[in-house]
């Protein structure tokens, strides 16, 4: 099975940028479609972005379209989430998730493997 470790979170001001990374080990990342989810205090875990196994297809929740970009480097076993124009409502713990297969999904239960999360806090 694959192990996932996120990094890159932090405290930023509204309008700033952050780049989250997810490093995979144990199995080749190219075996998995990947996604980022987030969970704010008192809220359910929310889909943010996903990318298929080859990197040729991606999908975003409407609230981050045009601001966030998901990418992957299968040779380096990493997935990234570039977050620009951050807003206070983006504050959450961000999780990297992996599912076996070619194509992405937007529901959390379809992802078998999860990282421990990284905190992103955006101040106004």
């Amino acid at each position: 099975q694959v192990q996932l470790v996120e990094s890159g979170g932090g405290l930023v001001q509204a309008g700033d940028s952050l780049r989250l990374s997810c490093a995979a080990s144990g199995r080749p990342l190219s075996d998995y479609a990947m996604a980022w989810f987030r969970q704010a205090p008192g809220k359910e875990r929310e889909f943010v972005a996903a990318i298929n196994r080859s990197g040729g297809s991606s999908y975003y929740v409407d609230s981050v379209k045009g601001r966030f970009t998901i990418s992957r480097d299968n040779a380096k076993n990493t997935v990234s989430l570039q977050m620009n124009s951050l807003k206070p409502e983006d504050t959450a713990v961000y999780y990297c998730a992996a599912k076996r297969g070619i194509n992405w999904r937007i529901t959390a239960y379809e992802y078998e493997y999860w990282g421990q999360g990284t905190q992103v806090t955006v101040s106004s």
Side-chain angles (χ1 to χ4, degrees):
Q1 65 182 28
V2 67
Q3 290 81 45
L4 304 172
V5 178
E6 303 95 335
S7 62
L11 171 63
V12 297
Q13 293 186 332
D16 286 350
S17 298
L18 274 177
R19 186 176 181 87
L20 305 184
S21 292
C22 174
S25 61
R27 287 196 59 83
L29 194 68
S30 56
D31 288 349
Y32 303 91
M34 301 296 296
W36 288 92
F37 289 79
R38 66 187 179 187
Q39 188 165 20
K43 295 188 177 181
E44 293 187 354
R45 192 165 296 191
E46 173 192 32
F47 169 81
V48 176
I51 190 166
N52 72 345
R53 204 166 63 181
S54 69
S57 173
S58 58
Y59 185 77
Y60 302 87
V61 68
D62 284 347
S63 60
V64 308
K65 284 181 181 176
R67 300 189 298 121
F68 290 12
T69 303
I70 188 171
S71 61
R72 65 189 299 158
D73 186 335
N74 287 341
K76 295 183 178 179
N77 264 8
T78 59
V79 176
S80 298
L81 185 68
Q82 177 66 42
M83 306 186 295
N84 298 329
S85 302
L86 283 161
K87 304 176 180 180
E89 51 264 44
D90 294 319
T91 295
V93 177
Y94 283 71
Y95 297 90
C96 173
K99 66 171 291 292
R100 287 168 291 194
I102 297 174
N103 294 316
W104 45 261
R105 295 289 186 268
I106 64 171
T107 49
Y109 76 88
E110 296 190 80
Y111 288 81
E112 297 102 334
Y113 306 104
W114 293 80
Q116 83 290 347
T118 185
Q119 176 71 47
V120 172
T121 303
V122 184
S123 63
S124 58

